[in-house]
Amino acid sequence: MSIFYAIFNTIMDAGATVMLPIIITIIGLIFGVKLAKAFRSGLTIGIGFAGINLVINMMKSNLGPAAQAMVDNFGIKLDVLDVGWGAIAAVTWSSPIIALLIFAILITNIVMLAIKATDTLDVDIWNYHHMAIVGIMVYYVTKSIPLGILATVIMAVITFKLSDWTAPLVEDYFGIPGVSLPTMSALSSVIIAAPLNWLLDRIPGMKKANLSVKNAQKYLGFFGEPMILGLLLGCIIGALARYDVSQILSLGVSMAAVMILIPKMTSLFMEGLMPISEAAKNFTQKKFKGRKFLIGLDAAVVVGNPDVITTSLIVIPLTILMAAILPGNRMLPFADLAVVTFRVALVVAITRGNLLKNIIMGLVCTSAILYAGTITAPVLTELATSVGLDIAADGSFISSFAATSLTVSFLVYESFIHHPMISVPILIIVIAFVWVFMSKFNKKREEILAAKEMELEK
C-alpha cells in the first residue's frame, strides 16, 4: 500500500501536465483504444494543457503586478489579503486528512457513475482540492472527521451534478463535446449567474442589448479583433497601474498574446481528446446501451475564449474598485485577480457572450466572493498556520478567490459549522429539490432537441 501511495504522491507532485497524460492514456485503454494511440492522445492533451498553463502564467505574471499597482494607486487598505488559490491548495494538500478526502471523492464519483447519478468521469484529480478544502475547514472547526468527510462528499455530489448540467454549455458555446468541467472555481458562479440571467432577461431592453466581442468585431472592424481588444484592454490596465509607456505597451502586447495563444492551445486539447471521445462513445453504446460519459477536465480548457478574456479584463479593475466601496468587505483582491477568467467562464456561456450581462453578473459573483472571503478569513488563517504556512502579516488575515470564498463552498461550509443537525438536512433537501427540478428540465430539453432533429431529417 505504501508503494502505491508513494507512486500516487510522485505523480501528484509532478502536476497536472504529467498526471493528465497518464490518466487519459489509461482511460483510452479502458475504452479500447490501442496503447500507442491512447498515449499519443494523452500526451497531446498534456502538451495542450502545458501550453494553456504557460499562457495563463504569463498572464498572471504580467497582470498580477499591474493589479497590485492599481490597488496601491486606488489607496485601498483592507486587512484580509487574497493570497491566491495556489497558497490555499498548498494548505489543502498539507492537511492530515487529505488522503481520506481524496479517497472519498473518488468513491463518490465511482458510485454516482455506477448508479447513473452522474455522467461525469472526473479525471481532474488535481482540482479535487476545491472539494477537499471544505471538508478540511469543517474538520478544523468541528474536530469531527466524519463531518469533514461528509462535507467533502456533499461538495463532490454538487460538483459532479453541476458538471453534468453545464456540459451542454461547454459543447454548445465553447465547442468542446463530450467534456464537463468539474472545477468548482468555475462552477460556483453558476448558482448566481443562472437565476440572475433569468432576471436580467426580464428587464426591458436588456435581452436585446446583445453587446458582445463578435459584435465588436463586426462594428469596430480592425479594433474589434481579439488581439487588438487584448492590446487595448492591457494598455488601459497598465495606465490605471500608472506604468510608464514601455510597461504599458508590454502589458498590452502580453494580453494580445493571451487572446491569440490560448485558443491555439485549446485546439491541441481537442486534437488529443477526439480519439478518446469517439472511443468512449462507441464503448458506451456497446456496453451501456447508448449511455454517454463526460470526461471531466480542468476549466482551463475554456478560459481562452475571447469573450471570457475580454469580460475578465473589464471585471478585474471594477472588482478592485468594488472592494473599496462595498460595506462590510475587508478582503483585498490581489493574487487571484489574474484567474478571474475561471470565475466568469460559465457566466459568459450562460449569457452566450452578452458582454453587458457578463460584466453585471461577473461583478455580482466577485462581490459574493469578497463577502464570503471576509467571513471565512479568520478560520482559513488559523488553518494555514496550523499546517505550517504562516503567511499572514501581523494583525491581518488571508483569503483567496477560491476555497470557501466560492459561493457553493461557502454555503456547504456554513451549513456544517452552524447547527449541523438542522442545517445539513436542510442543505440535502435543497440539493434533492434542485436535482429533481433539473432532471425534469433536462428531460424536456432533450425531448425538444430530439423533436427538432426529427424535423430536420424530414
Side-chain angles (χ1 to χ4, degrees):
M1 187 57 134
S2 59
I3 295 174
F4 288 112
Y5 189 72
I7 293 172
F8 178 78
N9 277 341
T10 300
I11 294 172
M12 288 299 299
D13 290 342
T17 53
V18 172
M19 183 172 63
L20 195 55
I22 294 173
I23 293 173
I24 294 297
T25 300
I26 293 171
I27 290 173
L29 293 174
I30 292 172
F31 288 144
V33 181
K34 292 182 179 180
L35 176 58
K37 190 174 182 180
F39 180 73
R40 189 180 293 110
S41 291
L43 187 58
T44 302
I45 290 172
I47 292 168
F49 191 80
I52 289 170
N53 275 339
L54 285 172
V55 180
I56 289 175
N57 287 333
M58 181 183 74
M59 183 173 74
K60 287 168 63 178
S61 63
N62 286 277
L63 197 58
Q68 182 184 15
M70 281 194 291
V71 168
D72 295 338
N73 293 337
F74 292 156
I76 302 173
K77 298 192 181 299
L78 302 167
D79 65 344
V80 176
L81 178 64
D82 160 28
V83 295
W85 68 267
I88 306 306
V91 171
T92 304
W93 291 104
S94 300
S95 170
I97 65 167
I98 185 62
L100 288 174
L101 301 184
I102 296 302
F103 183 72
I105 295 167
L106 281 167
I107 292 298
T108 301
N109 193 201
I110 292 168
V111 170
M112 289 181 70
L113 285 167
I115 64 175
K116 299 182 180 180
T118 185
D119 294 322
T120 293
L121 174 62
D122 188 1
V123 303
D124 185 22
I125 295 175
W126 167 251
N127 276 316
Y128 278 17
H129 71 85
H130 288 297
M131 298 174 258
I133 185 61
V134 178
I136 288 167
M137 287 188 65
V138 168
Y139 164 70
Y140 183 78
V141 173
T142 65
K143 309 304 178 187
S144 169
I145 293 177
L147 279 180
I149 293 173
L150 181 58
T152 292
V153 168
I154 288 179
M155 279 297 300
V157 171
I158 295 172
T159 298
F160 300 141
K161 290 311 297 180
L162 283 175
S163 300
D164 290 345
W165 295 333
T166 55
L169 293 174
V170 177
E171 179 172 356
D172 297 342
Y173 188 76
F174 295 112
I176 308 178
V179 164
S180 65
L181 308 177
T183 311
M184 186 49 69
S185 58
L187 288 173
S188 184
S189 299
V190 171
I191 69 165
I192 293 176
L196 188 54
N197 184 59
W198 179 88
L199 180 63
L200 290 175
D201 280 345
R202 275 141 189 84
I203 297 175
M206 180 63 72
K207 191 173 183 179
K208 294 181 179 179
N210 190 21
L211 177 63
S212 68
V213 173
K214 290 181 180 178
N215 286 339
Q217 292 174 21
K218 179 180 177 181
Y219 294 113
L220 297 178
F222 171 77
F223 292 100
E225 294 179 16
M227 72 172 77
I228 303 303
L229 280 173
L231 176 68
L232 293 174
L233 289 170
C235 287
I236 290 170
I237 291 175
L240 291 172
R242 295 181 186 171
Y243 279 0
D244 60 35
V245 175
S246 63
Q247 289 176 308
I248 290 172
L249 293 174
S250 178
L251 182 60
V253 172
S254 294
M255 293 306 101
V258 167
M259 297 286 272
I260 296 299
L261 292 177
I262 288 188
K264 293 185 182 298
M265 295 302 103
T266 305
S267 67
L268 277 177
F269 237 102
M270 290 296 300
E271 181 184 333
L273 188 62
M274 287 310 296
I276 306 297
S277 181
E278 285 297 318
K281 182 179 178 182
N282 295 333
F283 180 85
T284 53
Q285 285 175 344
K286 290 178 182 178
K287 303 291 184 180
F288 299 97
K289 296 181 180 179
R291 185 188 170 193
K292 67 174 183 178
F293 287 107
L294 300 166
I295 299 177
L297 297 177
D298 193 307
V301 299
V302 300
V303 299
N305 179 276
D307 288 340
V308 175
I309 296 292
T310 302
T311 299
S312 63
L313 289 176
I314 296 171
V315 166
I316 285 169
L318 293 177
T319 296
I320 295 171
L321 177 62
M322 191 168 59
I325 62 176
L326 280 177
N329 173 59
R330 294 165 56 192
M331 184 173 169
L332 175 63
F334 176 55
D336 270 342
L337 284 172
V339 292
V340 165
T341 45
F342 286 81
R343 312 303 180 264
V344 301
L346 289 174
V347 173
V348 170
I350 287 171
T351 70
R352 302 203 64 80
N354 186 315
L355 190 57
L356 180 59
K357 289 201 292 184
N358 292 345
I359 295 168
I360 294 171
M361 291 158 61
L363 289 174
V364 173
C365 291
T366 54
S367 65
I369 288 172
L370 290 173
Y371 279 125
T374 296
I375 293 169
T376 58
V379 172
L380 187 58
T381 305
E382 290 180 12
L383 173 62
T385 303
S386 73
V387 297
L389 294 171
D390 190 5
I391 51 181
D394 291 340
S396 66
F397 301 94
I398 65 167
S399 191
S400 81
F401 274 39
T404 44
S405 298
L406 299 171
T407 304
V408 171
S409 306
F410 175 74
L411 293 174
V412 173
Y413 167 73
E414 288 292 316
S415 298
F416 273 85
I417 65 167
H418 297 298
H419 309 292
M421 296 298 291
I422 299 172
S423 54
V424 172
I426 292 173
L427 176 67
I428 293 172
I429 291 169
V430 170
I431 294 169
F433 173 79
V434 174
W435 192 325
V436 171
F437 172 81
M438 287 302 300
S439 297
K440 291 180 178 179
F441 176 83
N442 286 332
K443 187 176 181 181
K444 289 182 180 178
R445 180 180 179 275
E446 288 173 2
E447 289 173 354
I448 293 170
L449 289 174
K452 286 182 179 179
E453 287 179 2
M454 290 181 65
E455 288 180 7
L456 289 173
E457 289 176 359
K458 292 179 181 179

